[in-house]
Amino acid sequence: MVLDYNSAPNPCYILEADLLRRNLKLIKDVETRSGATIILAFKAFALWKAFPIVKEYFNCATASSLSEAMLANEELGAKAHTFAPAYTDEEFPKIAALSSHLTFNSLSQFERLHAKAQGVSYGLRVNPEYSAVETDLYNPCVRGSRLGVLSDDMPKELPKEIEGLHFHALCEGSAEDLENTLTAFENRFAHWIPQVKWVNFGGGHLMTRKGYNVEHLINIIKAFRKRWGVEVILEPGSAFAWQTGVLTSKVVDIVKSGDVTTAILNVSFACHMPDCLEMPYKPNIRGAHNEPVEGLPTYRMGGNSCLAGDYVGDWSFDKPLQIGDTIVFEDMIHYTTVKTTMFNGVSHPSIAIFDAQNGGLKVVRSYDYSDYKSRMS
């Protein structure tokens, strides 16, 4: 069975189940061979209608809020590994009850809240003061970061209730990035590692990306476990949903301003592909040249919100675009559906799952005015 994009609503996020299973198999193999515990980070992928597929391989997730912790319990059937920059007094007992592991961002939060829950393995987030991430917006170790305790601010002995250390310094990183981060972490926190039972390496391990050195990752984890005798936890997000689906859109107008021709679409970069503006990065378009080619029709892609900067460009096409043409943005499942907004009242794209093994294309959610109105109430 072959996926026909024209059989789905437009615009639409379309997840391909076979591609998701491909990633899940690879990640499961890393978990098995390395001896680590690997869990799904909801912040990158929380499309719970696809969780029956995820549960074929994994049933645990990391949460950053009460809602995510509830989702882990309800849809994956397991308590969450939870970290948030801060917990409120009102929500903390509820979050703790839904968590097997709970990491504090500061010692002051730990001291104030930890006695309000029992049966939870507590951890402390630390800042290794090293990251390969070049974009400050995504760099948890940027100077002055609010995330994690510096080694200079650690007590000589950890409180006995703290059983783990957690660092997160990667964003779509390589095994080599992890290796360098671990060097910084061990240089700064070697005194405290023997005091804990587990170390969480955080997320950003893009092990499903082509060219990622999976064998090196496995060896790094095994060596760390042997060196310190602790459980190792990884919580990738993008790796689960990497290159598992697309966002389809249509050309609704073509406008020219000076030497720039823009194809205005029925989707918005600001609302539906925010990382393209935040990171920023330029996504691939199926059938297009990702860089301008002299002599070919070339277009900037413009979103349908009134934000002046709601555009990315330029792509060249083998023939001129026409109003009504379908534009397919590749790799648009991770960090999209979890970050969409209804700015300007622009509706979300529909969401569909294509599973060739189980009935083909199924639209799992569509949106209309009632969704926008309910968000404003």
Side-chain angles (χ1 to χ4, degrees):
M1 186 179 294
V2 178
L3 171 58
D4 177 11
Y5 292 122
N6 294 321
S7 65
N10 191 305
C12 189
Y13 297 105
I14 304 176
L15 170 71
E16 295 193 44
D18 287 349
L19 300 180
L20 178 59
R21 288 190 178 97
R22 174 202 63 192
N23 287 350
L24 292 168
K25 289 177 183 176
L26 186 151
I27 298 169
K28 190 64 178 180
D29 182 63
V30 171
E31 180 182 65
T32 300
R33 294 169 57 202
S34 69
T37 298
I38 300 183
I39 57 180
L40 165 64
F42 280 165
K43 65 182 179 180
F45 181 65
L47 184 53
W48 59 271
K49 288 292 183 71
F51 285 0
I53 301 170
V54 174
K55 287 171 69 175
E56 295 171 12
Y57 302 87
F58 297 93
N59 69 347
C60 194
T62 178
S64 300
S65 64
L66 176 58
S67 292
E68 286 189 342
M70 292 174 67
L71 189 66
N73 283 255
E74 291 179 5
E75 299 298 334
L76 287 180
K79 291 189 173 184
H81 290 231
T82 303
F83 165 79
Y87 303 101
T88 65
D89 290 339
E90 296 77 19
E91 288 190 347
F92 180 79
K94 300 175 185 177
I95 291 175
L98 296 166
S99 304
S100 61
H101 297 63
L102 191 149
T103 296
F104 291 94
N105 188 53
S106 68
L107 285 161
S108 61
Q109 278 254 307
F110 163 79
E111 291 163 357
R112 187 164 60 84
L113 294 173
H114 79 275
K116 295 186 177 184
Q118 295 181 346
V120 184
S121 182
Y122 286 134
L124 182 68
R125 178 162 176 169
V126 297
N127 182 347
E129 298 180 67
Y130 170 85
S131 175
V133 180
E134 296 180 354
T135 303
D136 284 353
L137 182 65
Y138 293 83
N139 184 354
C141 301
V142 68
R143 187 173 181 273
S145 173
R146 75 193 195 287
L147 300 171
V149 180
L150 300 175
S151 57
D152 288 346
D153 297 326
M154 291 281 283
K156 184 175 182 181
E157 298 297 322
L158 289 171
K160 61 181 176 55
E161 296 89 352
I162 291 181
E163 297 183 337
L165 295 176
H166 178 159
F167 67 84
H168 176 60
L170 303 181
C171 177
E172 298 185 356
S174 65
E176 291 75 18
D177 291 335
L178 172 61
E179 185 174 37
N180 293 334
T181 303
L182 270 181
T183 297
F185 168 71
E186 291 179 86
N187 285 342
R188 287 178 170 83
F189 293 94
H191 174 76
W192 295 278
I193 300 175
Q195 299 178 33
V196 299
K197 297 178 181 179
W198 52 266
V199 175
N200 189 323
F201 289 5
H205 313 275
L206 196 47
M207 61 189 77
T208 52
R209 178 172 54 193
K210 184 179 180 180
Y212 187 100
N213 193 337
V214 173
E215 295 302 320
H216 191 41
L217 171 65
I218 292 170
N219 290 334
I220 289 170
I221 296 170
K222 290 170 69 174
F224 185 91
R225 291 178 58 235
K226 182 178 180 180
R227 202 155 55 242
W228 295 104
V230 295
E231 178 187 5
V232 170
I233 303 166
L234 279 72
E235 47 186 43
S238 292
F240 280 84
W242 185 255
Q243 294 185 339
T244 58
V246 302
L247 172 59
T248 63
S249 63
K250 283 188 184 297
V251 178
V252 295
D253 198 10
I254 296 174
V255 299
K256 188 176 171 89
S257 178
D259 60 353
V260 176
T261 301
T262 299
I264 299 181
L265 309 174
N266 63 347
V267 293
S268 163
F269 290 96
C271 298
H272 308 138
M273 299 171 274
D275 279 1
C276 294
L277 303 182
E278 293 175 0
M279 178 57 89
Y281 81 97
K282 184 179 179 182
N284 290 322
I285 292 176
R286 186 163 299 184
H289 303 273
N290 209 45
E291 297 299 330
V293 178
E294 187 175 354
L296 290 182
T298 299
Y299 302 85
R300 171 182 289 177
M301 295 293 129
N304 61 343
S305 81
C306 70
L307 177 69
D310 189 2
Y311 68 85
V312 176
D314 297 306
W315 290 262
S316 289
F317 295 78
D318 291 331
K319 60 181 181 180
L321 293 178
Q322 304 294 326
I323 293 173
D325 282 351
T326 296
I327 301 294
V328 178
F329 289 97
E330 303 280 11
D331 196 21
M332 280 293 157
I333 301 300
H334 57 93
Y335 283 108
T336 50
T337 54
V338 292
K339 295 181 77 170
T340 52
T341 74
M342 285 187 171
F343 168 66
N344 262 183
V346 173
S347 189
H348 295 331
S350 298
I351 301 174
I353 298 175
F354 177 72
D355 191 342
Q357 302 177 31
N358 296 290
L361 185 75
K362 181 180 180 181
V363 178
V364 297
R365 183 68 193 271
S366 293
Y367 299 86
D368 57 23
Y369 168 66
S370 64
D371 296 293
Y372 170 69
K373 189 176 182 182
S374 66
R375 289 184 66 158
M376 300 301 108
S377 61

